[in-house]
């Protein structure tokens, strides 16, 4: 029974990760690319998305690789652009 519960939690976390990567962050990146939002808007949206994810799943941090999974989910073109802007 415990194994099924952990398996379901991991399945849900993976589904959320996929939704964040493809739907949410993909939309932010696309809207930034076409000029519908500014770089600052995109950075704020990314920040709020991370805060929401952290809040929703903070009590699952005991699951192996949780931290790696969340950090990988939020690496986007926005990070690259912000870093390039800081270097200028």
């Amino acid at each position: 029974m415990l194994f099924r519960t952990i398996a379901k939690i991991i399945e849900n976390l993976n589904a959320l990760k996929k939704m964040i990567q493809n739907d949410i962050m993909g939309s932010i990146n696309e809207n930034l690319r076409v000029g519908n939002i500014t770089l600052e808007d995109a950075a704020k949206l990314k920040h709020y998305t991370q805060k929401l994810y952290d809040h929703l799943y903070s009590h699952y941090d005991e699951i192996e690789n949780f931290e790696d999974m969340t950090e990988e989910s939020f690496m986007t073109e926005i990070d690259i652009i912000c870093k390039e802007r800081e270097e200028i």
Side-chain angles (χ1 to χ4, degrees):
M1 184 69 163
L2 179 60
F3 178 74
R4 283 190 214 167
T5 302
I6 292 173
K8 187 65 175 171
I9 290 169
I10 292 171
E11 179 183 327
N12 289 339
L13 289 172
N14 285 331
L16 181 62
K17 177 184 175 185
K18 188 178 290 186
M19 183 179 69
I20 288 171
Q21 288 175 329
N22 298 330
D23 298 341
I24 299 172
M25 298 310 291
S27 294
I28 293 170
N29 286 333
E30 179 62 17
N31 280 286
L32 177 62
R33 187 186 68 77
V34 299
N36 291 337
I37 60 176
T38 66
L39 179 61
E40 291 79 17
D41 293 335
K44 286 179 186 176
L45 288 168
K46 176 189 169 194
H47 172 76
Y48 292 133
T49 302
Q50 175 73 53
K51 286 184 76 137
L52 176 62
Y53 185 90
D54 290 346
H55 176 74
L56 291 173
Y57 287 91
S58 62
H59 56 287
Y60 295 118
D61 62 356
E62 69 275 4
I63 295 176
E64 187 177 340
N65 297 324
F66 177 77
E67 291 299 320
D68 292 338
M69 184 175 73
T70 58
E71 290 303 315
E72 289 172 9
S73 296
F74 291 98
M75 286 300 294
T76 66
E77 296 170 21
I78 298 165
D79 295 316
I80 296 167
I81 294 169
C82 288
K83 185 173 180 159
E84 288 173 355
R85 188 175 265 195
E86 287 174 1
E87 292 174 356
I88 295 177

